[in-house]
Amino acid sequence: MRIAGLASGMDIDMMVKNLMQAERLPLDKLKQKKQILEWQRDDYRSINTQLLSFRDKLAQLKLTPNYRARTVTSSNEDKVSATVTSGASQASYSISEVKQLATAATRVNTGTIGIDPAKNFGSQTVSGLTWKEGVVQSKTFNVKEENQSLKLEAKPEPGTASIKVNGQKLTVVTSTSPQAGEVAIAEDGTLDFGTPLAKGSVVKVDYVLKDKTVEFNYPGDEDNPLAVWNIGSSVIASATINVGGTEFNINKDDADENGVVPLGSIGTINLTTGTITFEPERTEATNIKVTYTQKYSTFNIDTHTSKGEMKEQFFITENDSLNSVIRKVNESDAGVTMFYDSFKDQVTLTRKETGEFNKSGSEIQVSGEFMTGILKFDNTDTLETGGTNAKFTINGLETERNSNTFDMNGVTFTLKQTFAESPGESVAISIGNDSNQVFENIKGFVDQYNELIAEIGNKLNEKKNRDYKPLTDEEREELSDKQIEKWEDLARSGLLRNDPALSGVISAMRLDISSNVETNGLFSQLASIGISTTSNYMEGGKLEINEAKLKEALEKDPESVENLFRGTGSDAGRGIVHKLYDTVDASIKKVQDKAGRATSTDQQFALGRELLNVGKGIDRFEDKMKIVEARYWKQFTAMEQAIQKANSQSAYLMQQFSGF
């Protein structure tokens, strides 16, 4: 219980507050020390952020393209254009003749096909196509562990399986010991690969089963259980349905105009929607087992490409349309584009690549009744056009390319039109050194170096205001936000003044900048190419560029300039960028040891450990202050109680003497 001056009339609260303020002076100093350490940590990390940015710049400057920028010009862009990479040598090319441009092989069918491309095949007459019965399946396996065992639900029908691993087609064999590039399929559907599967592989299998069986209970979790496996009038060929022990053999020819087939007294099945309707409606679960087949057909496209011969097998069902078949072909690895022209009612196949890849025969071949009979493709060479190489003469050499765009010694040429060899017709391609781009790259390096030097120099020379300490909680309450901000700017100034770690960074970088490098060329120092330290020592070693001298050096000996910056030889031949990178990298680690990173815990760096110690000291002192404050209140409470007792005695005596 605290009695606050009721007996004495004194302001005990204020007296205790003043006493505690004096007692808290050491605590305030600890808190100020903690704030200073946090400011120092943040300042170090700010410097380190700039060091990291500069190190990233240096890492980029280690790369060749920064010093070998090239320009390319063509004397006639309408005939031949060119682009260039940094790896290209300075050279000149003359293309004196382009006899032939590269074209893509194209095969055109022999006549109209009479098919509505938007309707599925089951809803229109497709005369001449023999449908097979089975169930077309497609399954993709993501291999999660090396040599993982993969299994299909059953062994596919002979000759229907198409298996790819990471896009590479394998040969399906009957051997029990498949070799590399082969795969065998066991009777239970297990896949046996000649080359063990690697972790992360993707295996895609397209195949046909003789039939498929689905078993479930109805009513079940699904309102429309058959629809989930996509039975429709254009998909199902035949089915055996067992409903609660009663078996029905149905065919789509049994359906009425609405696609409904009766199931005796049990109900009906709608082959269009895949719904079984029970009569009367059943509430108890009934076991339903469905074995069904589809009508399907296959065709193949064999294409010669830059990757070799590509053989692709395609499956179609009655539910497919010409549009869906075109999409399958265009999205496949066959390397061709199928196109249907509604005006002519004809179809074409065009290889996606230009060039001639099969000098002994056709570039595109097809097989299968659907391609040859329905789409009317003929494999005779008279129906195929294109598939030619570009033929041209460059620097006097007659040569060929599969594409009109090709690379040569780091230069990408694009042939745009044919022209004959005659005076004034040749196209000159010139590759030169882009000294302006290299100049800008070097200038960017100097600018970032100067920014870093200025930032570190400012911290090293910043005035320290010893009269401004971090504000205490009581002092903050008496100031406005703007006053607090101004005070703290003064208080945290100069915390890194003359810091030895940062001074070491500056000194080491200056040594690297002024060092000699054996370049086996004209220039061995930055000063020799026009980059030198400013004459104003107050700028802390900033660099300045004599632009005319640097551009002259880049024109005179660009290789020497490159070696000066990024030479990778011995110590004597080690370029300035490599030296600076090592220096900055070591400095970053030193600063991190002292101030850590944003993700570091306080135990992992020096200032953090010091912060932990100060924090523990603050906690101990605050516990002590609670005890001291309690003691003061106890003493003042005792005083109040004594005064109260004395007042009571005095009042009693006055009462006794008042009767006389």
Side-chain angles (χ1 to χ4, degrees):
M1 179 179 178
R2 292 178 174 178
I3 302 173
L6 294 176
S8 65
M10 294 185 291
D11 189 350
I12 303 300
D13 283 334
M14 182 57 68
M15 293 175 68
V16 172
K17 183 178 180 180
N18 291 336
L19 288 169
M20 289 306 299
Q21 190 172 2
E23 294 282 355
R24 283 197 177 92
L25 287 177
L27 178 62
D28 289 339
K29 289 183 179 180
L30 282 174
K31 289 184 176 180
Q32 288 172 333
K33 182 178 180 181
K34 181 181 179 182
Q35 181 65 77
I36 289 172
L37 290 173
E38 289 175 345
W39 283 341
Q40 284 182 324
R41 177 200 62 195
D42 294 343
D43 286 348
Y44 275 123
R45 289 180 180 179
S46 177
I47 293 293
N48 230 16
T49 297
Q50 288 191 283
L51 287 170
L52 284 165
S53 177
F54 187 58
R55 188 184 67 179
D56 291 341
K57 176 70 174 179
L58 293 171
Q60 289 297 316
L61 287 170
K62 291 181 180 181
L63 304 178
T64 301
N66 291 286
Y67 310 94
R68 299 182 188 177
R70 298 289 187 254
T71 59
V72 58
T73 57
S74 170
S75 62
N76 192 330
E77 289 279 347
D78 293 333
K79 293 181 178 179
V80 182
S81 63
T83 58
V84 69
T85 67
S86 60
S89 302
Q90 297 185 63
S92 295
Y93 299 90
S94 175
I95 297 180
S96 54
E97 180 182 24
V98 178
K99 291 182 178 179
Q100 176 178 284
L101 293 177
T103 58
T106 298
R107 184 174 289 282
V108 182
N109 75 342
T110 57
T112 60
I113 60 176
I115 294 176
D116 188 330
K119 292 183 179 180
N120 59 40
F121 299 131
S123 63
Q124 57 183 316
T125 301
V126 185
S127 59
L129 180 61
T130 303
W131 292 101
K132 301 175 185 178
E133 284 201 17
V135 180
V136 177
Q137 299 284 278
S138 182
K139 184 167 286 189
T140 300
F141 300 94
N142 293 303
V143 180
K144 297 181 180 179
E145 56 186 33
E146 189 174 351
N147 205 17
Q148 179 179 334
S149 177
L150 305 180
K151 185 178 179 181
L152 305 175
E153 61 265 55
K155 186 174 182 178
E157 289 290 273
T160 65
S162 174
I163 302 176
K164 293 181 179 180
V165 177
N166 298 327
Q168 298 297 314
K169 189 172 183 179
L170 305 184
T171 302
V172 180
V173 297
T174 57
S175 170
T176 56
S177 301
Q179 304 301 308
E182 296 179 343
V183 58
I185 308 176
E187 290 298 323
D188 64 351
T190 300
L191 303 179
D192 183 12
F193 294 89
T195 302
L197 293 174
K199 182 179 179 181
S201 298
V202 177
V203 180
K204 188 175 186 301
V205 187
D206 295 310
Y207 57 104
V208 176
L209 296 177
K210 182 179 179 181
D211 54 37
K212 188 168 183 177
T213 299
V214 177
E215 186 173 2
F216 52 88
N217 289 326
Y218 182 86
D221 294 332
E222 297 289 344
D223 293 332
N224 186 9
L226 287 184
V228 298
W229 44 278
N230 200 28
I231 284 186
S233 61
S234 60
V235 175
I236 189 170
S238 63
T240 300
I241 303 180
N242 188 306
V243 181
T246 303
E247 190 169 282
F248 299 89
N249 293 318
I250 66 171
N251 189 290
K252 76 172 190 174
D253 295 332
D254 300 330
D256 62 17
E257 65 276 7
N258 296 317
V260 177
V261 176
L263 299 176
S265 62
I266 292 175
T268 60
I269 176 171
N270 189 319
L271 298 183
T272 303
T273 63
T275 303
I276 293 179
T277 302
F278 292 99
E279 296 178 0
E281 185 176 348
R282 299 196 176 196
T283 56
E284 294 183 2
T286 301
N287 181 263
I288 300 175
K289 186 176 181 180
V290 182
T291 300
Y292 70 100
T293 63
Q294 298 170 309
K295 286 187 176 181
Y296 77 94
S297 183
T298 63
F299 66 89
N300 298 277
I301 298 179
D302 185 359
T303 314
H304 292 268
T305 70
S306 60
K307 298 177 182 178
E309 189 174 2
M310 309 299 291
K311 296 183 177 182
E312 287 292 309
Q313 181 182 35
F314 299 89
F315 296 99
I316 57 173
T317 69
E318 283 188 309
N319 199 40
D320 279 311
S321 65
L322 179 59
N323 285 340
S324 68
V325 172
I326 291 173
R327 184 168 60 253
K328 288 180 183 180
V329 171
N330 293 346
E331 293 176 354
S332 73
D333 295 327
V336 296
T337 299
M338 181 180 280
F339 169 72
Y340 169 74
D341 180 61
S342 58
F343 180 78
K344 301 255 326 194
D345 191 28
Q346 286 186 264
V347 185
T348 66
L349 289 172
T350 303
R351 194 179 54 201
K352 295 177 181 178
E353 291 182 293
T354 59
E356 184 181 6
F357 297 100
N358 184 23
K359 295 184 180 296
S360 61
S362 176
E363 300 279 348
I364 304 172
Q365 292 181 309
V366 299
S367 61
E369 197 175 55
F370 178 76
M371 293 295 287
T372 59
I374 306 305
L375 297 189
K376 299 181 180 179
F377 278 102
D378 193 317
N379 283 320
T380 59
D381 291 341
T382 55
L383 295 174
E384 184 177 343
T385 58
T388 60
N389 288 340
K391 296 181 179 181
F392 58 97
T393 301
I394 183 168
N395 288 3
L397 176 66
E398 188 173 340
T399 185
E400 297 183 17
R401 290 293 186 278
N402 298 129
S403 172
N404 294 316
T405 299
F406 57 91
D407 294 330
M408 181 181 291
N409 301 327
V411 184
T412 300
F413 297 87
T414 299
L415 306 178
K416 296 181 176 180
Q417 58 179 269
T418 59
F419 56 89
E421 184 174 9
S422 60
E425 286 291 322
S426 63
V427 178
I429 306 294
S430 300
I431 314 302
N433 189 43
D434 189 356
S435 57
N436 287 332
Q437 182 59 53
V438 179
F439 172 83
E440 291 299 326
N441 293 338
I442 294 174
K443 186 175 182 296
F445 155 72
V446 171
D447 290 342
Q448 194 163 350
Y449 175 86
N450 287 340
E451 289 174 9
L452 179 62
I453 289 292
E455 181 64 24
I456 296 177
N458 289 338
K459 289 296 181 184
L460 289 172
N461 299 317
E462 199 172 43
K463 180 182 177 182
K464 189 167 185 177
N465 301 302
R466 300 184 183 278
D467 294 335
Y468 290 86
K469 303 292 184 183
L471 294 168
T472 64
D473 294 338
E474 292 79 4
E475 290 170 337
R476 283 176 174 274
E477 293 175 359
E478 298 174 2
L479 299 176
S480 66
D481 291 342
K482 186 170 288 187
Q483 288 173 322
I484 291 173
E485 182 181 354
K486 186 174 181 180
W487 183 283
E488 288 188 341
D489 286 342
L490 293 169
R492 69 183 300 171
S493 174
L495 295 180
L496 300 184
R497 182 178 177 83
N498 296 327
D499 183 85
L502 299 184
S503 298
V505 176
I506 294 288
S507 299
M509 288 198 297
R510 287 175 183 168
L511 286 175
D512 293 335
I513 287 294
S514 60
S515 63
N516 287 320
V517 179
E518 290 184 2
T519 62
N520 298 321
L522 297 175
F523 312 111
S524 59
Q525 273 192 325
L526 286 182
S528 62
I529 63 171
I531 301 175
S532 57
T533 305
T534 61
S535 57
N536 184 357
Y537 75 94
M538 295 296 291
E539 291 184 329
K542 283 187 177 182
L543 299 177
E544 60 183 359
I545 300 176
N546 182 327
E547 295 189 5
K549 191 173 183 180
L550 176 56
K551 289 180 179 179
E552 181 184 357
L554 290 171
E555 292 292 340
K556 188 177 293 184
D557 192 352
E559 184 177 349
S560 177
V561 175
E562 178 182 346
N563 290 336
L564 178 60
F565 280 95
R566 60 169 297 272
T568 57
S570 61
D571 290 342
R574 191 167 174 78
I576 288 171
V577 166
H578 289 281
K579 294 177 182 179
L580 278 173
Y581 184 93
D582 293 343
T583 295
V584 172
D585 189 59
S587 301
I588 288 171
K589 292 175 182 176
K590 287 181 181 178
V591 175
Q592 285 178 349
D593 288 342
K594 191 173 184 64
R597 293 177 289 187
T599 57
S600 301
T601 63
D602 287 342
Q603 288 284 5
Q604 294 177 311
F605 56 97
L607 285 178
R609 291 187 288 272
E610 194 171 349
L611 278 167
L612 285 175
N613 291 332
V614 173
K616 290 176 182 177
I618 290 173
D619 292 340
R620 288 194 297 268
F621 208 95
E622 286 180 337
D623 291 339
K624 179 183 176 182
M625 289 298 94
K626 292 177 182 178
I627 296 172
V628 171
E629 187 177 10
R631 191 186 74 228
Y632 280 135
W633 275 106
K634 185 177 180 180
Q635 290 172 340
F636 279 112
T637 299
M639 181 192 74
E640 289 290 325
Q641 289 173 342
I643 293 174
Q644 180 66 34
K645 187 176 181 180
N647 288 340
S648 297
Q649 290 175 345
S650 176
Y652 174 75
L653 291 173
M654 289 295 293
Q655 184 180 5
Q656 294 297 320
F657 287 123
S658 64
F660 297 98

